[in-house]
Amino acid sequence: MTTTSFGTLPCKDLLSIAQLGAGDIETIFDTASALKADRNAYTQVLANKRLGMIFEKDSLRTRFTFDVGMQDLGGSAVFMDHRDAKLGSRESIKDMARNLERWVHCIVARTYKHRALEELAANCNIPVINGLSDHLHPCQGLSDIFTLHERWGSVKGKKLVYVGDGNNTCHSLVHACALLGAHITVCTPEGFEPNSRVISESMLMARESGSDIQITNDPEKSVANADAVYTDVWASMGQEDEIEERAAIFENYRIDEELMALARPEAFFMHCLPAHRGQEVTSPVIDGPNSIVYDIAENRLHVQKAVLVLLMG
Ligand code: CP
Ligand code: NVA
């Protein structure tokens, strides 16, 4: 057993990548690399620590990786499936937070409203981690960039292109690129552009990092010379009523072999998963040799273990 002491993060919670500095991301990546290098070496780092998981929405990756991650580190997790009762409906979020902090050492929450996460975090003295809200998906963004970082050493100056809906996954990817100096082009149908506040705060970070941020509506032009092309579902959880309408609007924003051919030949294909083959991406692309979707999913485990250790250890 290795008893290395890891660093800490300057924030109590991880609700958004925008709370972090570039150095904090480096700390997360260094810790994730160490934990990944020997999964069985850090079995006591979170001994006797308990994680509470409150999910208003479905999950495979986030739920498994946080639970397994706690087990890897000697702790345990309790999962509360809250799909049938939105946060704040049975009792106030404030009361929930004040109960949970008496029992567990950290909370991961997956919510509709981002505000619910903020309220949870503001009302307890334990770390709250965003396991996805309608607005942001920071654990995903960190794992996406960590996966590229492993391949390229640094993402600075690389060109990422996100094609699809300007959603939670997109927002956290833009934050991460802006902090670390990767160039990011977001290409959406008109009216589905990313949140303007996310873009303006990212522009501020980009001034320091040298990242170039572009928002466009033209998939062919945007993927030219891309080092990585990213997409996500066209209708996110909570938008089930819009699936058909969105399928028509997003038809020209599918990542297929022809679109990928406009990127660099070695360009990676990225997706947070779950994916819908034939909708936002074709099978030959997501199942092809340049797809790194399962490596990203694997890294959710290592990156989130790093976040748990740095917030709780
Ligand atoms: N990418 C992701 O967060 O997957 P889940 O919704 O399965 O957790
Ligand atoms: N944008 C998707 C991401 C799922 C991991 C959603 O919110 O449903």
PDB file of all heavy atoms in Angstrom, residues 114-145:
ATOM      1  N   HIS A 114     -29.144  23.607 -12.151  1.00  0.00           N
ATOM      2  CA  HIS A 114     -27.803  23.832 -11.597  1.00  0.00           C
ATOM      3  C   HIS A 114     -27.911  24.530 -10.240  1.00  0.00           C
ATOM      4  O   HIS A 114     -27.113  24.309  -9.339  1.00  0.00           O
ATOM      5  CB  HIS A 114     -26.977  24.675 -12.582  1.00  0.00           C
ATOM      6  CG  HIS A 114     -25.545  24.771 -12.191  1.00  0.00           C
ATOM      7  ND1 HIS A 114     -24.667  23.713 -12.338  1.00  0.00           N
ATOM      8  CD2 HIS A 114     -24.826  25.769 -11.625  1.00  0.00           C
ATOM      9  CE1 HIS A 114     -23.474  24.069 -11.885  1.00  0.00           C
ATOM     10  NE2 HIS A 114     -23.545  25.316 -11.446  1.00  0.00           N
ATOM     11  N   ARG A 115     -28.931  25.366 -10.111  1.00  0.00           N
ATOM     12  CA  ARG A 115     -29.168  26.112  -8.860  1.00  0.00           C
ATOM     13  C   ARG A 115     -29.334  25.154  -7.661  1.00  0.00           C
ATOM     14  O   ARG A 115     -28.941  25.466  -6.542  1.00  0.00           O
ATOM     15  CB  ARG A 115     -30.417  26.989  -9.061  1.00  0.00           C
ATOM     16  CG  ARG A 115     -30.805  27.856  -7.922  1.00  0.00           C
ATOM     17  CD  ARG A 115     -29.939  29.117  -7.804  1.00  0.00           C
ATOM     18  NE  ARG A 115     -30.014  29.619  -6.434  1.00  0.00           N
ATOM     19  CZ  ARG A 115     -29.029  29.588  -5.542  1.00  0.00           C
ATOM     20  NH1 ARG A 115     -27.840  29.124  -5.870  1.00  0.00           N
ATOM     21  NH2 ARG A 115     -29.205  30.041  -4.322  1.00  0.00           N
ATOM     22  N   ALA A 116     -29.932  23.975  -7.914  1.00  0.00           N
ATOM     23  CA  ALA A 116     -30.133  22.999  -6.833  1.00  0.00           C
ATOM     24  C   ALA A 116     -28.788  22.538  -6.272  1.00  0.00           C
ATOM     25  O   ALA A 116     -28.625  22.375  -5.060  1.00  0.00           O
ATOM     26  CB  ALA A 116     -30.939  21.808  -7.345  1.00  0.00           C
ATOM     27  N   LEU A 117     -27.819  22.359  -7.155  1.00  0.00           N
ATOM     28  CA  LEU A 117     -26.466  21.964  -6.733  1.00  0.00           C
ATOM     29  C   LEU A 117     -25.830  23.065  -5.895  1.00  0.00           C
ATOM     30  O   LEU A 117     -25.197  22.798  -4.874  1.00  0.00           O
ATOM     31  CB  LEU A 117     -25.580  21.777  -7.972  1.00  0.00           C
ATOM     32  CG  LEU A 117     -25.581  20.455  -8.694  1.00  0.00           C
ATOM     33  CD1 LEU A 117     -24.727  20.571  -9.933  1.00  0.00           C
ATOM     34  CD2 LEU A 117     -25.038  19.362  -7.784  1.00  0.00           C
ATOM     35  N   GLU A 118     -26.004  24.298  -6.372  1.00  0.00           N
ATOM     36  CA  GLU A 118     -25.418  25.437  -5.651  1.00  0.00           C
ATOM     37  C   GLU A 118     -26.031  25.555  -4.260  1.00  0.00           C
ATOM     38  O   GLU A 118     -25.340  25.853  -3.287  1.00  0.00           O
ATOM     39  CB  GLU A 118     -25.625  26.734  -6.451  1.00  0.00           C
ATOM     40  CG  GLU A 118     -24.798  26.759  -7.731  1.00  0.00           C
ATOM     41  CD  GLU A 118     -25.092  27.967  -8.620  1.00  0.00           C
ATOM     42  OE1 GLU A 118     -26.192  28.553  -8.515  1.00  0.00           O
ATOM     43  OE2 GLU A 118     -24.227  28.304  -9.442  1.00  0.00           O
ATOM     44  N   GLU A 119     -27.327  25.297  -4.174  1.00  0.00           N
ATOM     45  CA  GLU A 119     -28.014  25.397  -2.889  1.00  0.00           C
ATOM     46  C   GLU A 119     -27.555  24.291  -1.935  1.00  0.00           C
ATOM     47  O   GLU A 119     -27.335  24.540  -0.744  1.00  0.00           O
ATOM     48  CB  GLU A 119     -29.523  25.294  -3.134  1.00  0.00           C
ATOM     49  CG  GLU A 119     -30.327  26.045  -2.106  1.00  0.00           C
ATOM     50  CD  GLU A 119     -31.820  25.948  -2.376  1.00  0.00           C
ATOM     51  OE1 GLU A 119     -32.225  25.915  -3.569  1.00  0.00           O
ATOM     52  OE2 GLU A 119     -32.577  25.868  -1.391  1.00  0.00           O
ATOM     53  N   LEU A 120     -27.382  23.098  -2.486  1.00  0.00           N
ATOM     54  CA  LEU A 120     -26.869  21.971  -1.702  1.00  0.00           C
ATOM     55  C   LEU A 120     -25.491  22.330  -1.150  1.00  0.00           C
ATOM     56  O   LEU A 120     -25.214  22.180   0.042  1.00  0.00           O
ATOM     57  CB  LEU A 120     -26.783  20.760  -2.635  1.00  0.00           C
ATOM     58  CG  LEU A 120     -26.798  19.341  -2.094  1.00  0.00           C
ATOM     59  CD1 LEU A 120     -27.987  19.106  -1.171  1.00  0.00           C
ATOM     60  CD2 LEU A 120     -26.849  18.356  -3.267  1.00  0.00           C
ATOM     61  N   ALA A 121     -24.637  22.827  -2.016  1.00  0.00           N
ATOM     62  CA  ALA A 121     -23.252  23.140  -1.638  1.00  0.00           C
ATOM     63  C   ALA A 121     -23.198  24.262  -0.603  1.00  0.00           C
ATOM     64  O   ALA A 121     -22.386  24.226   0.326  1.00  0.00           O
ATOM     65  CB  ALA A 121     -22.456  23.527  -2.879  1.00  0.00           C
ATOM     66  N   ALA A 122     -24.085  25.255  -0.771  1.00  0.00           N
ATOM     67  CA  ALA A 122     -24.051  26.413   0.131  1.00  0.00           C
ATOM     68  C   ALA A 122     -24.546  26.062   1.530  1.00  0.00           C
ATOM     69  O   ALA A 122     -24.286  26.792   2.480  1.00  0.00           O
ATOM     70  CB  ALA A 122     -24.909  27.537  -0.450  1.00  0.00           C
ATOM     71  N   ASN A 123     -25.250  24.945   1.655  1.00  0.00           N
ATOM     72  CA  ASN A 123     -25.864  24.625   2.944  1.00  0.00           C
ATOM     73  C   ASN A 123     -25.225  23.450   3.680  1.00  0.00           C
ATOM     74  O   ASN A 123     -25.822  22.893   4.590  1.00  0.00           O
ATOM     75  CB  ASN A 123     -27.362  24.387   2.756  1.00  0.00           C
ATOM     76  CG  ASN A 123     -28.098  25.700   2.551  1.00  0.00           C
ATOM     77  OD1 ASN A 123     -28.239  26.482   3.489  1.00  0.00           O
ATOM     78  ND2 ASN A 123     -28.489  25.961   1.319  1.00  0.00           N
ATOM     79  N   CYS A 124     -24.037  23.056   3.260  1.00  0.00           N
ATOM     80  CA  CYS A 124     -23.328  22.020   4.031  1.00  0.00           C
ATOM     81  C   CYS A 124     -21.831  22.317   4.012  1.00  0.00           C
ATOM     82  O   CYS A 124     -21.335  23.051   3.154  1.00  0.00           O
ATOM     83  CB  CYS A 124     -23.630  20.628   3.483  1.00  0.00           C
ATOM     84  SG  CYS A 124     -23.090  20.361   1.808  1.00  0.00           S
ATOM     85  N   ASN A 125     -21.144  21.728   4.968  1.00  0.00           N
ATOM     86  CA  ASN A 125     -19.704  21.975   5.086  1.00  0.00           C
ATOM     87  C   ASN A 125     -18.871  20.880   4.455  1.00  0.00           C
ATOM     88  O   ASN A 125     -17.667  20.830   4.655  1.00  0.00           O
ATOM     89  CB  ASN A 125     -19.329  22.124   6.566  1.00  0.00           C
ATOM     90  CG  ASN A 125     -19.900  23.415   7.113  1.00  0.00           C
ATOM     91  OD1 ASN A 125     -19.758  24.467   6.506  1.00  0.00           O
ATOM     92  ND2 ASN A 125     -20.586  23.322   8.240  1.00  0.00           N
ATOM     93  N   ILE A 126     -19.509  19.979   3.721  1.00  0.00           N
ATOM     94  CA  ILE A 126     -18.759  18.913   3.037  1.00  0.00           C
ATOM     95  C   ILE A 126     -18.714  19.228   1.538  1.00  0.00           C
ATOM     96  O   ILE A 126     -19.557  19.985   1.036  1.00  0.00           O
ATOM     97  CB  ILE A 126     -19.404  17.525   3.288  1.00  0.00           C
ATOM     98  CG1 ILE A 126     -20.875  17.516   2.861  1.00  0.00           C
ATOM     99  CG2 ILE A 126     -19.248  17.111   4.752  1.00  0.00           C
ATOM    100  CD1 ILE A 126     -21.540  16.142   2.922  1.00  0.00           C
ATOM    101  N   PRO A 127     -17.730  18.663   0.815  1.00  0.00           N
ATOM    102  CA  PRO A 127     -17.653  18.942  -0.621  1.00  0.00           C
ATOM    103  C   PRO A 127     -18.873  18.413  -1.373  1.00  0.00           C
ATOM    104  O   PRO A 127     -19.378  17.338  -1.050  1.00  0.00           O
ATOM    105  CB  PRO A 127     -16.398  18.177  -1.074  1.00  0.00           C
ATOM    106  CG  PRO A 127     -15.663  17.792   0.155  1.00  0.00           C
ATOM    107  CD  PRO A 127     -16.650  17.774   1.278  1.00  0.00           C
ATOM    108  N   VAL A 128     -19.320  19.186  -2.349  1.00  0.00           N
ATOM    109  CA  VAL A 128     -20.375  18.746  -3.269  1.00  0.00           C
ATOM    110  C   VAL A 128     -19.781  18.730  -4.680  1.00  0.00           C
ATOM    111  O   VAL A 128     -19.182  19.713  -5.122  1.00  0.00           O
ATOM    112  CB  VAL A 128     -21.604  19.682  -3.213  1.00  0.00           C
ATOM    113  CG1 VAL A 128     -22.636  19.283  -4.264  1.00  0.00           C
ATOM    114  CG2 VAL A 128     -22.230  19.657  -1.815  1.00  0.00           C
ATOM    115  N   ILE A 129     -19.914  17.591  -5.349  1.00  0.00           N
ATOM    116  CA  ILE A 129     -19.380  17.446  -6.709  1.00  0.00           C
ATOM    117  C   ILE A 129     -20.549  17.390  -7.683  1.00  0.00           C
ATOM    118  O   ILE A 129     -21.530  16.663  -7.453  1.00  0.00           O
ATOM    119  CB  ILE A 129     -18.528  16.157  -6.824  1.00  0.00           C
ATOM    120  CG1 ILE A 129     -17.342  16.211  -5.849  1.00  0.00           C
ATOM    121  CG2 ILE A 129     -18.039  15.951  -8.256  1.00  0.00           C
ATOM    122  CD1 ILE A 129     -16.546  14.907  -5.757  1.00  0.00           C
ATOM    123  N   ASN A 130     -20.427  18.135  -8.760  1.00  0.00           N
ATOM    124  CA  ASN A 130     -21.448  18.135  -9.814  1.00  0.00           C
ATOM    125  C   ASN A 130     -21.293  16.888 -10.687  1.00  0.00           C
ATOM    126  O   ASN A 130     -20.333  16.758 -11.436  1.00  0.00           O
ATOM    127  CB  ASN A 130     -21.267  19.412 -10.657  1.00  0.00           C
ATOM    128  CG  ASN A 130     -22.277  19.527 -11.787  1.00  0.00           C
ATOM    129  OD1 ASN A 130     -23.054  18.606 -12.031  1.00  0.00           O
ATOM    130  ND2 ASN A 130     -22.256  20.658 -12.483  1.00  0.00           N
ATOM    131  N   GLY A 131     -22.245  15.976 -10.583  1.00  0.00           N
ATOM    132  CA  GLY A 131     -22.231  14.767 -11.414  1.00  0.00           C
ATOM    133  C   GLY A 131     -23.042  14.958 -12.674  1.00  0.00           C
ATOM    134  O   GLY A 131     -23.417  13.980 -13.312  1.00  0.00           O
ATOM    135  N   LEU A 132     -23.300  16.173 -13.056  1.00  0.00           N
ATOM    136  CA  LEU A 132     -24.040  16.656 -14.232  1.00  0.00           C
ATOM    137  C   LEU A 132     -25.262  17.444 -13.771  1.00  0.00           C
ATOM    138  O   LEU A 132     -26.029  16.978 -12.922  1.00  0.00           O
ATOM    139  CB  LEU A 132     -24.499  15.512 -15.172  1.00  0.00           C
ATOM    140  CG  LEU A 132     -25.323  15.873 -16.426  1.00  0.00           C
ATOM    141  CD1 LEU A 132     -25.038  14.901 -17.574  1.00  0.00           C
ATOM    142  CD2 LEU A 132     -26.815  15.892 -16.138  1.00  0.00           C
ATOM    143  N   SER A 133     -25.386  18.635 -14.316  1.00  0.00           N
ATOM    144  CA  SER A 133     -26.627  19.414 -14.176  1.00  0.00           C
ATOM    145  C   SER A 133     -27.045  19.802 -15.584  1.00  0.00           C
ATOM    146  O   SER A 133     -26.304  19.566 -16.537  1.00  0.00           O
ATOM    147  CB  SER A 133     -26.368  20.674 -13.328  1.00  0.00           C
ATOM    148  OG  SER A 133     -25.515  21.566 -14.039  1.00  0.00           O
ATOM    149  N   ASP A 134     -28.213  20.423 -15.699  1.00  0.00           N
ATOM    150  CA  ASP A 134     -28.643  20.878 -17.031  1.00  0.00           C
ATOM    151  C   ASP A 134     -27.615  21.827 -17.638  1.00  0.00           C
ATOM    152  O   ASP A 134     -27.521  21.962 -18.857  1.00  0.00           O
ATOM    153  CB  ASP A 134     -29.986  21.619 -16.928  1.00  0.00           C
ATOM    154  CG  ASP A 134     -31.158  20.654 -16.812  1.00  0.00           C
ATOM    155  OD1 ASP A 134     -30.952  19.437 -17.006  1.00  0.00           O
ATOM    156  OD2 ASP A 134     -32.278  21.127 -16.504  1.00  0.00           O
ATOM    157  N   HIS A 135     -26.838  22.488 -16.794  1.00  0.00           N
ATOM    158  CA  HIS A 135     -25.938  23.546 -17.244  1.00  0.00           C
ATOM    159  C   HIS A 135     -24.509  23.064 -17.514  1.00  0.00           C
ATOM    160  O   HIS A 135     -23.875  23.485 -18.487  1.00  0.00           O
ATOM    161  CB  HIS A 135     -25.946  24.646 -16.171  1.00  0.00           C
ATOM    162  CG  HIS A 135     -25.177  25.868 -16.504  1.00  0.00           C
ATOM    163  ND1 HIS A 135     -25.281  26.513 -17.716  1.00  0.00           N
ATOM    164  CD2 HIS A 135     -24.272  26.574 -15.777  1.00  0.00           C
ATOM    165  CE1 HIS A 135     -24.488  27.566 -17.718  1.00  0.00           C
ATOM    166  NE2 HIS A 135     -23.854  27.614 -16.571  1.00  0.00           N
ATOM    167  N   LEU A 136     -23.996  22.192 -16.645  1.00  0.00           N
ATOM    168  CA  LEU A 136     -22.568  21.826 -16.708  1.00  0.00           C
ATOM    169  C   LEU A 136     -22.337  20.345 -16.434  1.00  0.00           C
ATOM    170  O   LEU A 136     -23.153  19.697 -15.758  1.00  0.00           O
ATOM    171  CB  LEU A 136     -21.778  22.635 -15.659  1.00  0.00           C
ATOM    172  CG  LEU A 136     -21.746  24.159 -15.820  1.00  0.00           C
ATOM    173  CD1 LEU A 136     -21.104  24.797 -14.598  1.00  0.00           C
ATOM    174  CD2 LEU A 136     -21.012  24.573 -17.095  1.00  0.00           C
ATOM    175  N   HIS A 137     -21.191  19.842 -16.928  1.00  0.00           N
ATOM    176  CA  HIS A 137     -20.785  18.453 -16.659  1.00  0.00           C
ATOM    177  C   HIS A 137     -19.258  18.449 -16.451  1.00  0.00           C
ATOM    178  O   HIS A 137     -18.504  17.948 -17.281  1.00  0.00           O
ATOM    179  CB  HIS A 137     -21.203  17.570 -17.843  1.00  0.00           C
ATOM    180  CG  HIS A 137     -21.229  16.109 -17.536  1.00  0.00           C
ATOM    181  ND1 HIS A 137     -20.924  15.585 -16.293  1.00  0.00           N
ATOM    182  CD2 HIS A 137     -21.529  15.034 -18.329  1.00  0.00           C
ATOM    183  CE1 HIS A 137     -21.053  14.264 -16.346  1.00  0.00           C
ATOM    184  NE2 HIS A 137     -21.405  13.907 -17.558  1.00  0.00           N
ATOM    185  N   PRO A 138     -18.811  19.020 -15.322  1.00  0.00           N
ATOM    186  CA  PRO A 138     -17.367  19.238 -15.154  1.00  0.00           C
ATOM    187  C   PRO A 138     -16.525  17.966 -15.081  1.00  0.00           C
ATOM    188  O   PRO A 138     -15.404  17.950 -15.595  1.00  0.00           O
ATOM    189  CB  PRO A 138     -17.272  20.020 -13.831  1.00  0.00           C
ATOM    190  CG  PRO A 138     -18.559  19.780 -13.128  1.00  0.00           C
ATOM    191  CD  PRO A 138     -19.589  19.562 -14.185  1.00  0.00           C
ATOM    192  N   CYS A 139     -17.038  16.899 -14.468  1.00  0.00           N
ATOM    193  CA  CYS A 139     -16.239  15.658 -14.381  1.00  0.00           C
ATOM    194  C   CYS A 139     -16.002  15.102 -15.784  1.00  0.00           C
ATOM    195  O   CYS A 139     -14.942  14.533 -16.069  1.00  0.00           O
ATOM    196  CB  CYS A 139     -16.944  14.620 -13.515  1.00  0.00           C
ATOM    197  SG  CYS A 139     -17.096  15.159 -11.800  1.00  0.00           S
ATOM    198  N   GLN A 140     -16.987  15.292 -16.654  1.00  0.00           N
ATOM    199  CA  GLN A 140     -16.834  14.864 -18.039  1.00  0.00           C
ATOM    200  C   GLN A 140     -15.759  15.697 -18.739  1.00  0.00           C
ATOM    201  O   GLN A 140     -14.862  15.156 -19.389  1.00  0.00           O
ATOM    202  CB  GLN A 140     -18.188  15.018 -18.774  1.00  0.00           C
ATOM    203  CG  GLN A 140     -18.154  14.514 -20.199  1.00  0.00           C
ATOM    204  CD  GLN A 140     -18.010  13.008 -20.278  1.00  0.00           C
ATOM    205  OE1 GLN A 140     -18.757  12.283 -19.637  1.00  0.00           O
ATOM    206  NE2 GLN A 140     -17.044  12.532 -21.036  1.00  0.00           N
ATOM    207  N   GLY A 141     -15.853  17.010 -18.604  1.00  0.00           N
ATOM    208  CA  GLY A 141     -14.885  17.902 -19.264  1.00  0.00           C
ATOM    209  C   GLY A 141     -13.459  17.606 -18.826  1.00  0.00           C
ATOM    210  O   GLY A 141     -12.532  17.582 -19.646  1.00  0.00           O
ATOM    211  N   LEU A 142     -13.276  17.345 -17.529  1.00  0.00           N
ATOM    212  CA  LEU A 142     -11.928  17.037 -17.025  1.00  0.00           C
ATOM    213  C   LEU A 142     -11.430  15.721 -17.607  1.00  0.00           C
ATOM    214  O   LEU A 142     -10.264  15.607 -18.013  1.00  0.00           O
ATOM    215  CB  LEU A 142     -11.941  16.959 -15.491  1.00  0.00           C
ATOM    216  CG  LEU A 142     -12.141  18.295 -14.764  1.00  0.00           C
ATOM    217  CD1 LEU A 142     -12.374  18.070 -13.270  1.00  0.00           C
ATOM    218  CD2 LEU A 142     -10.929  19.213 -14.970  1.00  0.00           C
ATOM    219  N   SER A 143     -12.316  14.726 -17.696  1.00  0.00           N
ATOM    220  CA  SER A 143     -11.913  13.418 -18.232  1.00  0.00           C
ATOM    221  C   SER A 143     -11.640  13.495 -19.730  1.00  0.00           C
ATOM    222  O   SER A 143     -10.718  12.836 -20.236  1.00  0.00           O
ATOM    223  CB  SER A 143     -12.993  12.371 -17.959  1.00  0.00           C
ATOM    224  OG  SER A 143     -13.330  12.375 -16.588  1.00  0.00           O
ATOM    225  N   ASP A 144     -12.423  14.311 -20.432  1.00  0.00           N
ATOM    226  CA  ASP A 144     -12.189  14.498 -21.877  1.00  0.00           C
ATOM    227  C   ASP A 144     -10.782  15.029 -22.112  1.00  0.00           C
ATOM    228  O   ASP A 144     -10.028  14.500 -22.934  1.00  0.00           O
ATOM    229  CB  ASP A 144     -13.191  15.520 -22.451  1.00  0.00           C
ATOM    230  CG  ASP A 144     -14.628  15.020 -22.420  1.00  0.00           C
ATOM    231  OD1 ASP A 144     -14.836  13.799 -22.483  1.00  0.00           O
ATOM    232  OD2 ASP A 144     -15.542  15.875 -22.313  1.00  0.00           O
ATOM    233  N   ILE A 145     -10.446  16.081 -21.394  1.00  0.00           N
ATOM    234  CA  ILE A 145      -9.155  16.734 -21.641  1.00  0.00           C
ATOM    235  C   ILE A 145      -8.003  15.894 -21.089  1.00  0.00           C
ATOM    236  O   ILE A 145      -6.924  15.834 -21.669  1.00  0.00           O
ATOM    237  CB  ILE A 145      -9.144  18.172 -21.061  1.00  0.00           C
ATOM    238  CG1 ILE A 145     -10.236  19.009 -21.743  1.00  0.00           C
ATOM    239  CG2 ILE A 145      -7.789  18.840 -21.258  1.00  0.00           C
ATOM    240  CD1 ILE A 145     -10.073  19.227 -23.240  1.00  0.00           C
TER     241      ILE A 145
END
